[in-house]
């Protein structure tokens, strides 16, 4: 989160100053491709998790409270566009 906001603040300061610009996506455990068991990483346990994908957007909006805030602020429609990294 911090690195994303730092980038936006450097490149697009007017955009970065908007409240509610970002939210954290949920996490799911990575799976071992051979055993389908949860993967482990002895050197960095944060590598054992990954974002669940684009379909999680709606659950993340609801769970984070962002959806309620958008509705409270009068938003009625949202355009969502996904791209690959």
């Amino acid at each position: 989160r911090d690195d994303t906001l730092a980038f936006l603040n450097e490149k697009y300061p007017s955009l970065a100053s908007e409240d509610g610009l970002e939210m954290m996506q949920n996490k799911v455990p990575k799976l071992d491709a051979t055993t389908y068991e949860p993967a482990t990483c002895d050197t960095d346990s944060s590598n054992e998790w990954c974002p669940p994908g684009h379909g999680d957007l709606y659950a993340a909006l609801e769970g984070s409270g962002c959806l309620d805030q958008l509705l409270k602020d009068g938003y009625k429609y949202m355009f969502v566009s996904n791209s690959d990294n």
Side-chain angles (χ1 to χ4, degrees), residues 9 33 54 67 77 80:
N9 195 40
H54 303 307
L67 179 60
Y77 301 101
V80 176

Side-chain angles (χ1 to χ4, degrees), residues 14-74:
S14 62
L15 180 63
S17 65
E18 290 186 28
D19 289 334
L21 176 66
E22 47 73 41
M23 68 175 191
M24 292 297 292
Q25 190 173 8
N26 294 313
K27 296 179 187 178
V28 295
K30 291 181 180 178
L31 299 179
D32 182 291
T34 305
T35 65
Y36 300 111
E37 294 289 323
T40 59
C41 181
D42 295 333
T43 57
D44 185 354
S45 63
S46 70
N47 288 331
E48 298 172 359
W49 298 89
C50 63
H54 303 307
D56 181 61
L57 172 66
Y58 306 104
L61 279 168
E62 173 68 24
S64 68
C66 289
L67 179 60
D68 289 336
Q69 187 62 48
L70 288 167
L71 293 171
K72 180 181 172 189
D73 291 344

